[in-house]
């Protein structure tokens, strides 16, 4: 596809929480990734997170009949496949992104071990606490797809889990292997569910924190400012369609996976 075709396609496609937050962080970064199609530098933390989510999804969709060791095997297989795929894109792992001060090889090994333990602990948590998943049309609400409308802007995505509170109201749950949490994400998910299923009541959201093997404190849906959230979504959509993509160089450049393709990046 040409740059023009990539841009036209992006301008007309539905939005997602990740698109919105990425654009707010740096419009030029979004342009590089989605229009120029600069290949992002691999990061083991991304593969770690994806593999953990796949393992948790397999465990839940098995009716929780999968054993701990079987779930761990799913994580390890997915992690290995993901790392090998990224090695095919960039074989020099010293150029990969990483958050720790060790070597790139150490990072790969440490995340394999952490993800293995986090998967094990997740299964043990579910077996012990037995959270009840919302059952929508006979299907457990795991990796639940949605598409909702925010002032004519379509927003779509996948919700990791929707669980039942004790009072039968709904709670959106996001699984986290890292430390970054977004109330905006939970609020968008909750508002979308309320819109799509008006007979249900989504009252809160939370995160399962794999690093700590526990749930976060709940985030109340009553605290969500729907007008402000909608305004952010519409502003992002209009920003894309305006064709203006200013760069925002600064501290965030250190963690930008397409900074190698950016002439505006901060080198401090």
């Amino acid at each position: 596809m040409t740059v023009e075709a990539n841009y036209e396609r992006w301008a007309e496609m539905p939005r997602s929480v990740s698109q919105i937050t990425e654009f707010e962080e740096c419009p030029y970064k979004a342009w590089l990734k989605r229009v120029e199609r600069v290949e992002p530098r691999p990061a083991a933390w991304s593969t770690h997170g994806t593999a953990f989510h796949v393992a948790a999804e397999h465990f839940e969709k098995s009716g929780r009949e999968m054993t701990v060791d079987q779930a761990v095997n799913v994580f390890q297989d997915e992690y290995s496949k993901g790392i090998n795929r990224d090695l095919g894109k960039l074989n020099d792992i010293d150029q990969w992104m990483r958050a720790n001060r060790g070597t790139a090889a150490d990072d790969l090994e440490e995340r394999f071990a952490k993800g293995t333990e986090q998967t094990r602990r997740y299964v043990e948590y579910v077996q012990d606490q037995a959270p009840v998943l919302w059952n929508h049309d006979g299907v457990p609400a795991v990796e639940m797809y949605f598409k909702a409308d925010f002032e004519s802007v379509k927003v779509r995505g996948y919700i990791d889990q929707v669980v039942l509170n004790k009072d039968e109201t709904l709670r959106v749950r996001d699984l986290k292997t890292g430390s970054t949490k977004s109330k905006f994400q939970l609020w968008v998910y909750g508002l979308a569910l309320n819109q799509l299923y008006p007979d249900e009541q989504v009252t809160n959201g939370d995160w399962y924190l794999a690093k700590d093997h526990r749930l976060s404190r709940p985030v109340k849906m009553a605290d969500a400012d729907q007008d402000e959230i909608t305004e952010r979504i519409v502003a992002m959509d209009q920003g894309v369609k305006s064709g203006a993509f200013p760069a925002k160089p600064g501290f965030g450049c250190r963690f930008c996976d397409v900074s190698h393709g950016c002439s505006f990046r901060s080198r401090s």
Side-chain angles (χ1 to χ4, degrees), residues 134-141 144 197:
W134 182 41
N135 200 296
H136 174 59
D137 290 339
V139 179
M144 183 177 176
Y197 305 99

Side-chain angles (χ1 to χ4, degrees), residues 9 14 30 42 45 49 99 103 116 118 125 133 136 155 192 196 209 214 223 234 265:
R9 179 175 180 272
W45 71 63
T103 66
T116 294
Q118 288 171 351
Y125 157 78
L133 292 170
H136 174 59
V155 177
L196 295 171
L209 305 173
R214 64 176 177 84
D223 292 339
V234 171
R265 69 186 184 277

Side-chain angles (χ1 to χ4, degrees), residues 40-55:
R41 285 187 294 155
W45 71 63
S46 178
T47 304
H48 168 191
T50 298
F52 174 83
H53 277 77
V54 171

Side-chain angles (χ1 to χ4, degrees), residues 12 18 83 102:
E12 297 305 319
S18 61
I83 293 300

